[in-house]
Amino acid sequence: MGLLRALAVILAGLAAAPAVAEKLDAEIAYETSQAAIGNATGDHVLTDHRGRTLTLAELRGKPLLVSLIFTSCATVCPITADHLRESVLKAQQALGTDAFNILTFGFDASGDRPAQLAGFAGTHRLVEVANWRIASADPATTEALLTELGFSFRAGAGGFEHVTQTSLLDAEGRVYRQIYGEAFPLPVLLEPLKELVLGIRTTAITAEGLWDRISFLCTVYNPLTGAYRFDYGIFFGIFFGALSLVLTGIVIFRLWLERRRALRQSGRGAT
């Protein structure tokens, strides 16, 4: 049931498509989106809302949020943009204003021209937010980027049927996480951003890696202050829990050794 709800929420039906039109399959769209995790995005050349060239290479070096919209949308895309703006402001408050970049990408290559992008950005006050860009690209570049991001859409009467998707890229431009829905809970955005910004993904069992993992587990988001903090309660809970396991293991090992000695001594006595 949960999977069906997840699949339902990621689809944004903007206009009733003709009966003969191909419909967007929710399950396939979701699988395509998830399969894109780990994909590297190219250094595509885009055009921003001022008509200037913007390359994805310029946005490397920091995590990048890519929100996919089309400017003539009158329903879901405006809601998505407004919700993302509020979430980004809270994330910047928690992690730092310059911790990550944001790109709103207009995937309607024929309709999302600089003038339309500028109008959308102004209406939703996107360019007022630090490190936020809004851009589009030519059809070939758009297709290549959307494929890398695992984004699915179908043209319909008066608009598009599409996945409501925000892709989170790491500092090297690889797809790290997909965020679905026009009004997702704040931690859904903050938690993966925290992993990338704080650099606490652990891939090896080392002393440094272990401490990174503990720091990650003990760093929690406080919705009242809008910031992250190190929770010593969780830390001591982990510490004493681990200590208890170690001591229990030592006691079991010593009991095993004593039993082994006793069995050896009894065997010698029998001979």
Side-chain angles (χ1 to χ4, degrees):
M1 187 67 180
L3 177 59
L4 293 176
R5 292 181 62 188
L7 295 176
V9 75
I10 67 173
L11 290 178
L14 302 181
V20 295
E22 182 182 1
K23 301 293 290 182
L24 187 62
D25 185 286
E27 186 172 356
I28 294 175
Y30 177 77
E31 291 175 354
T32 300
S33 176
Q34 286 294 297
I37 293 176
N39 284 355
T41 53
D43 294 333
H44 300 298
V45 178
L46 316 178
T47 302
D48 72 9
H49 66 291
R50 295 185 178 91
R52 300 173 182 173
T53 297
L54 171 68
T55 66
L56 285 186
E58 297 175 47
L59 305 179
R60 300 280 192 264
K62 299 178 183 179
L64 173 65
L65 280 171
V66 182
S67 174
L68 299 155
I69 59 94
F70 70 99
T71 55
S72 59
C73 174
T75 54
V76 174
C77 293
I79 296 173
T80 302
D82 290 339
H83 179 75
L84 183 61
R85 182 181 184 277
E86 295 305 313
S87 298
V88 163
L89 290 174
K90 292 176 181 177
Q92 289 180 339
Q93 180 184 1
L95 298 171
T97 302
D98 294 324
F100 58 94
N101 293 316
I102 313 97
L103 170 67
T104 290
F105 182 78
F107 66 84
D108 180 7
S110 63
D112 291 334
R113 299 302 185 189
Q116 284 71 32
L117 295 174
F120 190 90
T123 299
H124 300 284
R125 300 182 296 157
L126 303 183
V127 291
E128 298 175 10
V129 181
N131 300 320
W132 198 312
R133 279 84 164 181
I134 180 166
S136 61
D138 60 74
T141 302
T142 298
E143 182 179 0
L145 177 58
L146 297 184
T147 298
E148 293 165 353
L149 297 177
F151 180 74
S152 300
F153 71 98
R154 296 285 185 274
F160 296 93
E161 182 185 14
H162 65 94
V163 175
T164 308
Q165 174 180 313
T166 301
S167 297
L168 174 58
L169 279 55
D170 65 16
E172 288 74 43
R174 293 185 298 268
V175 179
Y176 183 72
R177 192 71 55 84
Q178 306 285 24
I179 300 169
Y180 304 112
E182 67 272 15
F184 49 81
L186 183 60
V188 171
L189 172 66
L190 281 174
E191 291 305 319
L193 265 176
K194 181 180 74 170
E195 295 174 20
L196 293 178
V197 171
L198 301 183
I200 48 181
R201 289 178 291 171
T202 303
T203 58
I205 303 176
T206 62
E208 182 180 359
L210 180 60
W211 175 248
D212 283 345
R213 176 57 63 186
I214 292 173
S215 298
F216 173 70
L217 293 174
C218 297
T219 303
V220 297
Y221 176 72
N222 186 340
L224 297 179
T225 61
Y228 281 93
R229 64 180 179 84
F230 189 86
D231 192 321
Y232 287 95
I234 297 176
F235 171 75
F236 285 117
I238 293 174
F239 175 78
F240 287 115
L243 181 62
S244 175
L245 288 174
V246 171
L247 293 176
T248 300
I250 292 173
V251 169
I252 292 173
F253 181 69
R254 293 189 62 179
L255 290 173
W256 176 79
L257 286 178
E258 291 175 2
R259 184 174 183 276
R260 189 176 180 184
R261 292 194 195 100
L263 289 173
R264 285 179 178 177
Q265 290 175 359
S266 64
R268 289 172 185 172
T271 58

